[in-house]
């Protein structure tokens, strides 16, 4: 395999891997859920 073809192939594989990781991160971000039961958030202002 020539050096140019090998470089193009590795570049394509790297781009696909980046796209898959981006999709996985986005999927995890949109499907994550958090429940907050019984907690009270207060802000204290010191003067």
């Amino acid at each position: 395999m020539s050096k140019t073809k090998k470089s193009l192939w590795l570049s394509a594989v790297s781009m696909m891997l980046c796209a898959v990781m981006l999709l996985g991160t986005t999927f995890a971000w949109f499907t994550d859920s958090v429940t907050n039961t019984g907690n009270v958030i207060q802000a204290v202002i010191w003067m």
Side-chain angles (χ1 to χ4, degrees):
M1 187 180 292
S2 70
K3 188 174 181 178
T4 304
K5 283 186 180 183
K6 185 176 181 180
S7 295
L8 285 173
W9 187 81
L10 287 173
S11 177
V13 169
S14 296
M15 288 173 52
M16 285 184 153
L17 181 62
C18 287
V20 167
M21 289 191 310
L22 178 65
L23 289 172
T25 302
T26 305
F27 180 74
W29 183 25
F30 284 117
T31 58
D32 189 26
S33 65
V34 175
T35 54
N36 185 1
T37 57
N39 293 334
V40 178
I41 299 172
Q42 293 180 340
V44 178
I45 300 173
W46 294 90
M47 296 181 124

